[in-house]
Amino acid sequence: MRKAGIEVKTAEVDGLAQLERILDGVSTDTLIWPNAYFVNDEKNNVVWLNEYLENRNLPFVGSDSKALQNVLKKDRCQSILEENQIPIPSYLVVSRENIKEIDTLISQFFEYPYSLVLKPTAESGSAGVCKAENLREVKEYTVQILKDFPNSDVIIEEFLPNDDITCGYLQIGSDILLLPTAYIVKSVPSKTNILSRKERLRPWDEADKIQPYITDTAILHQLKENIAPIASALNIRGVTRIDGRLDKNGTLRFYDVNGMPALCFPEGVMVKQCITCFPHYPEMEVFEGLIHTISYNAFLEYRMEVPEVIRKHNLFTMNSDIIVRSKLFQNETSN
C-alpha cells in the first residue's frame, strides 16, 4: 500500500474501549482495513467490529457486519443459500435445547449407513470440525462441540467423498474474477477424510499439500453459475473464498463461505490461489496485484480517489488462462 503512495497506519485492538478511542480519532476520508470479525466487551460479549465502523460512517474494506455474521454463523449461511436455490449438502442443526431429540433428527435427515461432518456453527478456521461414522460418534462429538464452543450450536452435514474445491472471488465494480482451485492433502485422502484444522495450518509443500487449479469444464461451469449468486445472496463486498465438494452425482455443493480470507504471504489460501492462477508472474507481483484489487473495489465503493499504480496493476489487468472472468448482473450490483 505504501509503495502505491498511500499513507498507512496500523493499530492493534485488545478490547472495545481501545477500539472506540481509535475510531474516534479517524477521519471519514480514511479507508479502514479491519482484520477481525469481532472484539469482546468488558463482559466478554461479542461485539462485531464493522458495526462500529458503520455507525460512524467510516469507509472500510470488505463486507458489512451483517454479511460477516451471516457467513461466520454456518447455520444461518446455509439457510440463506438454501433459500436462494444454491446447492448445499443436506444438514441439520443441533442445539442445547434439542439435543435430547438427536436420534430422531438424525433419522429424519440422513439414511444409515452414513458419514457425517460436524462443525460448531460460530467458529472459523475449521476449529472443532470432525467426522462421525455412526450415531454413537455423532452424539459424542456433538456433546464435545457444545462443551468446547459455548457460543455455538452444532451443524451436521452429509459427508461428500471428494476433493475440496475452493474458489476465490474478487470484484472491481461490476467485474468479477474467479480463482478456481482444489485443496488437496494426499496423505489425507478426501474420499474418506475431511481436512482438519491441523492439515489446514500446514505449509504448502507442493508434494503432499497442494493447490492445483481446476480444468474440469463441468466444475468450472458450476463455479461460474453459482459463485456470483452466492456472493450476491450474502451481500459480499469485494472479496470472499467459497468451498464445496462434488456429490455422487457430480453436483458441486457449497458448505463454507469465508467473509474475511486470510491474506498472509505466501501461506494464506487466497494468496496461494492467486499465485496458482497467475503462474507466469513473480509471487510478490501477484500478491501486490491482490492487495491492489481489494483496495480498488473499496475505493470505488466509497467514491475515493484510486491511485494510478492501483489502477494499472491489479489482478484484472494481469493475464491468465486459468482465471474465470465474469460480470455482475444488474440485480446483483444493487445490493
Side-chain angles (χ1 to χ4, degrees):
M1 298 294 284
R2 291 189 176 99
K3 285 174 64 177
I6 298 170
E7 181 184 357
V8 179
K9 294 182 179 179
T10 61
E12 292 189 17
V13 175
D14 60 12
L16 184 57
Q18 186 180 10
L19 172 65
E20 291 183 313
R21 286 196 301 271
I22 290 172
L23 294 182
D24 286 342
V26 175
S27 62
T28 56
D29 62 351
T30 299
L31 182 67
I32 298 175
W33 196 320
N35 69 341
Y37 288 93
F38 54 80
V39 294
N40 298 96
D41 65 15
E42 64 279 359
K43 295 181 180 178
N44 208 36
N45 295 317
V46 168
V47 175
W48 293 87
L49 179 58
N50 286 5
E51 284 186 354
Y52 279 77
L53 307 181
E54 293 159 28
N55 290 340
R56 287 168 167 76
N57 293 316
L58 294 172
F60 59 91
V61 174
S63 302
D64 63 26
S65 59
K66 182 179 179 181
L68 294 183
Q69 290 179 54
N70 284 340
V71 299
L72 188 62
K73 297 179 180 180
K74 295 178 174 59
D75 52 337
R76 190 184 299 179
C77 181
Q78 295 304 77
S79 177
I80 292 171
L81 296 186
E82 190 171 30
E83 290 171 3
N84 284 270
Q85 290 80 53
I86 301 296
I88 60 174
S90 298
Y91 77 98
L92 67 88
V93 178
V94 178
S95 65
R96 291 160 185 82
E97 290 72 34
N98 69 3
I99 191 171
K100 292 181 180 179
E101 304 163 23
I102 191 169
D103 296 62
T104 302
L105 292 169
I106 292 293
S107 65
Q108 288 176 344
F109 281 83
F110 307 106
E111 292 184 5
Y112 193 78
Y114 51 68
S115 294
L116 300 175
V117 180
L118 287 74
K119 310 172 185 178
T121 55
E123 294 293 326
S124 59
S126 296
V129 178
C130 55
K131 179 168 168 276
E133 302 294 350
N134 52 57
L135 186 57
R136 178 190 61 80
E137 291 184 350
V138 170
K139 291 179 177 180
E140 177 185 336
Y141 299 158
T142 298
V143 170
Q144 192 62 49
I145 290 172
L146 292 174
K147 178 182 177 182
D148 292 344
F149 302 96
N151 294 320
S152 287
D153 294 326
V154 180
I155 185 169
I156 302 176
E157 297 174 347
E158 65 173 313
F159 170 70
L160 302 171
N162 259 303
D163 289 331
D164 282 46
I165 293 168
T166 181
C167 185
Y169 168 98
L170 292 160
Q171 175 186 348
I172 295 180
S174 61
D175 293 316
I176 296 172
L177 185 151
L178 305 183
L179 308 168
T181 62
Y183 193 127
I184 298 172
V185 180
K186 294 180 180 179
S187 58
V188 185
S190 54
K191 293 289 185 182
T192 54
N193 293 279
I194 59 171
L195 295 180
S196 69
R197 184 169 177 81
K198 176 183 177 182
E199 282 83 43
R200 294 189 183 280
L201 290 177
R202 282 178 45 190
W204 305 99
D205 59 17
E206 309 307 329
D208 187 44
K209 183 178 177 180
I210 60 174
Q211 193 193 71
Y213 60 84
I214 291 172
T215 58
D216 185 287
T217 54
I219 297 175
L220 291 172
H221 175 75
Q222 292 184 73
L223 291 173
K224 191 170 182 179
E225 287 291 306
N226 288 291
I227 295 297
I230 290 173
S232 177
L234 294 164
N235 201 28
I236 296 292
R237 300 194 318 192
V239 57
T240 186
R241 200 186 75 247
I242 299 170
D243 298 343
R245 284 188 176 198
L246 297 175
D247 67 13
K248 61 183 180 181
N249 298 316
T251 298
L252 183 54
R253 299 193 177 274
F254 300 92
Y255 52 76
D256 191 51
V257 180
N258 192 319
M260 194 175 283
L263 299 176
C264 48
F265 178 87
E267 293 296 331
V269 177
M270 175 158 264
V271 175
K272 176 65 174 174
Q273 283 180 321
C274 293
I275 293 170
T276 297
C277 292
F278 289 90
H280 303 303
Y281 295 86
E283 291 186 357
M284 183 52 66
E285 186 175 340
V286 175
F287 182 60
E288 289 177 355
L290 170 62
I291 300 304
H292 289 178
T293 300
I294 298 172
S295 305
Y296 196 158
N297 189 70
F299 286 135
L300 284 182
E301 181 148 359
Y302 292 101
R303 295 178 173 82
M304 302 172 78
E305 182 180 354
V306 181
E308 188 65 19
V309 172
I310 290 178
R311 286 185 180 276
K312 289 183 177 180
H313 174 44
N314 59 74
L315 295 183
F316 286 82
T317 65
M318 297 168 66
N319 297 318
S320 172
D321 296 329
I322 299 165
I323 59 172
V324 177
R325 297 179 186 268
S326 186
K327 280 188 176 291
L328 285 172
F329 295 112
Q330 185 62 40
N331 64 333
E332 291 172 342
T333 59
S334 64
N335 283 338

